[in-house]
């Protein structure tokens, strides 16, 4: 160590976030241990892929002839179809242009799938593993995040999207979508006012926002999709997965068209994924969770940079 | 200007008014469209507002703003006269623009004047100035507490809050950005 030279800024920055990075390591270790304990198989799929899932507003950065995955979804689903019934993965994903306090182009995703499960079943499991993780790394279920205590031992508050639009914005999802205000209302009126003393689940999104989730049989205007919020921040997204081959063809065709209208790069189709669907998959559910954001909440960090050693975007 | 260029500290025009973006957040709720939440302060009125831009919006107008270094010269009626540090050109600035900072103007102080469409809208003074206390209740001898405050008048009659040990005739350092007492410079 030089006595003459001043400590470089980058080293100062890394020293300042050391506690967060230690907590991050402990959190990831505990999450892994929960999954192992519950009989999940940890798997890895490629980061550079040829055929990302087309999504209306998510764009995978290009890397030579490949794309950096925006999600490991399709390849993990192909594994489920092949008989891997309980799998999880923790790895880097990329979403072009997404930079902010809670976003970085490169981020760490926890994603898992389980057959014979639905979206709410996965949330029961998620609630348990977050509780266990928090208690093990902090020694208490209480976490102070941005001046507000979150009690992870409390039951989550659950709102359907319809209930949330009524309660926080005095409107309904159909009107909001018709006025092209769905996301604005979510961001301006709902998210800031969600309870912050416990986990909050928003569930049953309008079927037009199903993405890759299954339409609810009993209530066809909604999809079996839900999102977990902690401290007002979106942490994870779960689906009862769409297993209908024909419906999937229509959804992807629509997404390809929406992408084209926005001038986003064209993806090739993942034909192996379609072959898997055609062959048939048992009912299953999947969930994606932003590890960086979970660490932000548990470590009360101000932004995503404070929980990552390096951010290159 | 494209919405993706929005950031904290950027000044934009909405309905002819200049706004400073004081807080900025990139949002993308539940796989939806990207949105940019801005908290803004009106540079003319000081009022604040919030606005959410969608990624599809393209016609955001950057404010035509210019910063100029100017020396404060003298007061003339309701106007404060500044002169450009480079061109010596004079500019009249009103109390409405200066607000309470008018009380902290020292002759020949080098200030930064923000112009919107050529008109002054904000003046940044040197951060710290020294002023003499001309009137305050006498402080208790030996009372060195800094967290208990009392009112005190500076030479132009403006009232600030100072610790109990400050006496009439003391010179104190004041932060012009907040109008708050910083420290005692010289004992009377």
């Amino acid at each position: 160590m030089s006595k003459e030279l001043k400590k470089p800024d980058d080293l100062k920055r890394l020293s300042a976030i050391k506690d967060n990075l230690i907590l991050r390591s402990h959190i990831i270790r505990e999450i892994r241990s929960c999954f192992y304990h519950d009989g999940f198989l940890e798997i890895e799929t490629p980061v550079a892929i040829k055929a990302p899932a087309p999504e209306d507003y998510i764009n995978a950065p290009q890397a030579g002839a490949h794309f950096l995955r925006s999600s490991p979804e399709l390849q993990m689903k192909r594994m489920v179809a092949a008989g891997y019934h309980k799998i999880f993965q923790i790895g880097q994903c990329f979403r072009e242009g997404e930079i902010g306090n809670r976003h970085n182009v490169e981020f760490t995703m926890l994603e898992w799938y389980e057959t014979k499960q639905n979206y709410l079943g996965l949330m029961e499991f998620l609630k348990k593993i977050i509780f266990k993780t928090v208690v093990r790394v902090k020694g208490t279920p209480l976490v102070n995040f941005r001046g507000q205590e979150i009690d992870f031992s409390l039951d989550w508050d659950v709102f359907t999207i319809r209930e949330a639009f009524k309660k926080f914005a005095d409107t309904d999802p159909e009107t909001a979508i018709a006025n092209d205000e769905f996301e604005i209302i979510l961001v301006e009126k709902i998210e800031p006012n969600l309870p912050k003393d416990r986990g909050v689940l928003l569930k049953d999104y309008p079927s037009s926002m199903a993405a890759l989730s299954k339409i609810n049989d009993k209530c066809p205007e909604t999809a079996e999709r839900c999102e977990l919020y902690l401290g007002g921040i979106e942490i994870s997204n779960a689906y009862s997965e769409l297993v209908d081959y024909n419906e999937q063809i229509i959804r992807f065709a629509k997404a390809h068209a929406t992408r084209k209208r926005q001038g986003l790069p064209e993806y090739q189709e993942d034909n192996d994924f379609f072959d898997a669907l055609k062959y048939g998959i048992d009912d299953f559910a999947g969930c994606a969770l932003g590890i960086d954001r979970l660490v932000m909440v548990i470590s009360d960090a101000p932004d995503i940079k404070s929980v990552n050693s390096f951010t290159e975007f | 200007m494209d919405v993706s260029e929005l950031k904290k500290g950027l000044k934009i025009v909405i309905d002819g008014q200049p706004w400073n973006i004081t807080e900025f957040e990139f949002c993308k709720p539940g796989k939806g469209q990207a949105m940019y939440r801005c908290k803004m302060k009106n540079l003319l009125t000081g009022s604040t507002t919030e606005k959410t831009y969608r990624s599809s919006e393209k016609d955001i107008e950057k404010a035509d703003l210019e910063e100029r270094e100017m020396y404060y010269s003298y007061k003339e009626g309701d106007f404060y006269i500044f002169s450009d540090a480079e061109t010596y050109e004079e500019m009249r600035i009103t109390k409405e623009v200066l607000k309470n900072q008018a009380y902290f103007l020292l002759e020949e102080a080098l200030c930064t004047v923000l112009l919107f469409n050529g008109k002054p809208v904000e003046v940044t003074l040197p951060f710290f100035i020294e002023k003499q206390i001309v009137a305050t209740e006498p402080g208790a001898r030996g009372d060195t507490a800094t967290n208990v405050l009392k009112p005190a008048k500076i030479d132009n009659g403006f009232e600030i809050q100072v610790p109990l040990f400050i006496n009439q005739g003391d010179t104190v350092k004041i932060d012009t950005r907040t109008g708050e007492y910083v420290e005692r410079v010289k004992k009377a």
Side-chain angles (χ1 to χ4, degrees):
Chain A
M1 212 184 304
S2 163
K3 279 192 177 133
E4 288 82 45
L5 293 177
K6 253 177 71 187
K7 191 171 183 178
D9 286 347
D10 184 55
L11 302 189
K12 276 196 221 159
R13 180 188 63 79
L14 282 167
S15 303
I17 58 171
K18 194 170 172 190
D19 286 349
N20 292 349
L21 296 190
I22 291 171
L23 201 56
R24 180 180 178 114
S25 163
H26 293 173
I27 289 166
I28 292 173
R29 188 182 65 200
E30 292 306 333
I31 289 174
R32 273 211 167 89
S33 118
C34 289
F35 275 95
Y36 291 149
H37 188 77
D38 206 68
F40 277 85
L41 180 71
E42 180 166 16
I43 56 117
E44 290 166 289
T45 60
V47 170
I49 57 175
K50 293 201 180 94
E55 301 227 40
D56 292 352
Y57 304 112
I58 294 174
N59 205 25
Q62 253 165 318
H66 289 69
F67 292 94
L68 299 177
R69 63 180 181 186
S70 51
S71 140
E73 192 158 5
L74 300 188
Q75 288 175 324
M76 288 184 81
K77 287 180 177 176
R78 282 156 60 186
M79 294 185 74
V80 173
Y84 295 79
H85 295 301
K86 292 175 90 171
I87 50 174
F88 81 102
Q89 169 162 215
I90 297 175
Q92 309 306 103
C93 291
F94 300 79
R95 294 182 178 184
E96 195 153 284
E98 301 194 10
I99 294 181
N101 289 338
R102 288 173 279 140
H103 292 83
N104 190 42
V105 173
E106 177 173 0
F107 63 101
T108 304
M109 186 97 103
L110 159 67
E111 185 142 329
W112 77 98
Y113 291 90
E114 185 174 0
T115 50
K116 301 190 172 62
Q117 261 295 8
N118 69 15
Y119 67 138
L120 297 177
L122 289 195
M123 290 301 98
E124 282 305 309
F125 176 65
L126 177 59
K127 183 177 180 307
K128 272 189 215 136
I129 65 173
I130 293 184
F131 171 74
K132 269 191 194 164
T133 298
V134 170
V135 169
R136 283 186 190 153
V137 302
K138 302 278 285 189
T140 161
L142 305 177
V143 166
N144 199 296
F145 179 60
R146 299 188 176 165
Q148 165 84 48
E149 194 166 79
I150 305 176
D151 185 346
F152 285 91
S153 69
L154 296 176
D155 272 339
W156 290 348
D157 271 338
V158 181
F159 301 100
T160 63
I161 284 288
R162 179 169 306 284
E163 285 164 352
F165 272 70
K166 179 76 195 151
K167 183 177 167 76
F168 299 108
D170 197 24
T171 182
D172 57 73
E174 291 79 14
T175 311
I177 291 170
N179 295 335
D180 194 19
E181 282 180 347
F182 188 89
E183 287 130 350
I184 292 246
I185 289 174
L186 204 52
V187 160
E188 287 190 341
K189 299 196 171 149
I190 298 176
E191 289 183 349
N193 296 309
L194 290 176
K196 294 192 174 62
D197 62 334
R198 62 186 73 201
V200 178
L201 214 55
L202 293 187
K203 64 166 192 170
D204 304 343
Y205 280 68
S207 54
S208 62
M209 294 173 184
L212 297 183
S213 63
K214 181 175 161 257
I215 302 298
N216 191 318
D217 293 334
K218 289 179 196 122
C219 176
E221 75 265 19
T222 67
E224 295 193 5
R225 171 181 165 200
C226 62
E227 302 237 5
L228 169 66
Y229 285 80
L230 295 175
I233 294 185
E234 188 187 326
I235 300 286
S236 87
N237 179 35
Y239 298 156
S240 300
E241 300 291 346
L242 177 65
V243 291
D244 183 322
Y245 170 74
N246 292 312
E247 171 72 17
Q248 185 69 73
I249 288 180
I250 296 168
R251 298 252 188 111
F252 272 9
K254 278 186 184 164
H256 283 303
T258 307
R259 295 177 54 81
K260 200 169 182 184
R261 274 202 305 279
Q262 297 172 81
L264 295 176
E266 205 172 326
Y267 296 154
Q268 71 183 69
E269 203 73 274
D270 187 337
N271 292 321
D272 292 317
F273 169 66
F274 276 102
D275 288 345
L277 277 181
K278 202 170 183 181
Y279 173 75
I281 314 182
D282 286 340
D283 279 344
F284 73 117
C287 184
L289 179 146
I291 288 286
D292 309 276
R293 291 193 189 167
L294 182 64
V295 176
M296 273 173 69
V297 170
I298 299 175
S299 63
D300 194 16
D303 52 38
I304 197 164
K305 282 186 161 43
S306 314
V307 295
N308 278 286
S309 52
F310 302 96
T311 45
E312 300 271 318
F313 290 92
Chain B
M1 187 185 76
D2 192 84
V3 68
S4 62
E5 292 175 52
L6 289 174
K7 60 178 187 221
K8 190 172 165 174
L10 188 80
K11 280 120 185 145
I12 58 172
V13 178
I14 304 169
D15 299 329
Q17 300 264 314
W19 295 84
N20 180 26
I21 299 174
T22 52
E23 276 178 55
F24 174 77
E25 196 164 27
F26 174 81
C27 302
K28 208 160 182 286
K31 293 187 175 253
Q33 292 183 52
M35 273 173 300
Y36 303 80
R37 284 199 85 188
C38 299
K39 282 190 185 161
M40 294 182 276
K41 190 172 179 187
N42 188 310
L43 289 171
L44 300 180
T45 64
S47 67
T48 56
T49 191
E50 289 183 24
K51 196 166 158 71
T52 306
Y53 289 95
R54 290 167 218 248
S55 50
S56 51
E57 284 172 73
K58 303 248 179 256
D59 48 352
I60 295 164
E61 192 187 338
K62 238 187 222 173
D64 168 21
L65 290 162
E66 188 194 354
E67 278 189 343
R68 274 164 54 183
E69 303 281 291
M70 293 193 189
Y71 290 104
Y72 170 61
S73 301
Y74 57 96
K75 187 164 183 267
E76 186 184 84
D78 291 339
F79 292 101
Y80 295 80
I81 313 299
F82 286 73
S83 71
D84 192 297
E86 276 175 32
T87 63
Y88 304 108
E89 186 190 341
E90 283 201 347
M91 178 159 278
R92 294 146 75 90
I93 299 181
T94 61
K95 176 82 198 297
E96 281 69 48
V97 171
L98 284 159
K99 303 186 190 73
N100 280 344
Q101 293 191 109
Y103 297 106
F104 304 135
L105 274 175
L106 300 180
E107 242 172 74
E108 293 309 304
L110 183 61
C111 304
T112 306
V113 178
L114 182 69
L115 305 173
F116 172 56
N117 295 334
K119 281 191 207 130
V121 289
E122 192 186 84
V123 181
T124 309
L125 274 55
F127 292 161
F128 301 105
I129 55 153
E130 291 176 6
K131 281 278 186 189
Q132 198 179 31
I133 299 299
V134 298
T136 188
E137 295 290 318
R141 183 175 291 275
D143 194 344
T144 53
T146 49
N147 52 346
V148 187
L149 300 175
K150 61 174 180 178
K153 279 202 170 87
I154 57 176
D155 50 13
N156 51 33
F158 189 70
E159 199 171 276
I160 62 166
Q161 295 291 320
V162 298
L164 295 179
F165 60 80
I166 296 294
N167 287 308
Q168 190 173 320
D170 286 353
T171 303
V172 300
K173 189 192 256 189
I174 300 169
D175 188 328
T176 62
R177 292 163 292 184
T178 56
E180 280 168 13
Y181 164 90
V182 182
E183 62 182 11
R184 178 163 63 188
V185 189
K186 208 166 71 199
K187 250 176 120 168

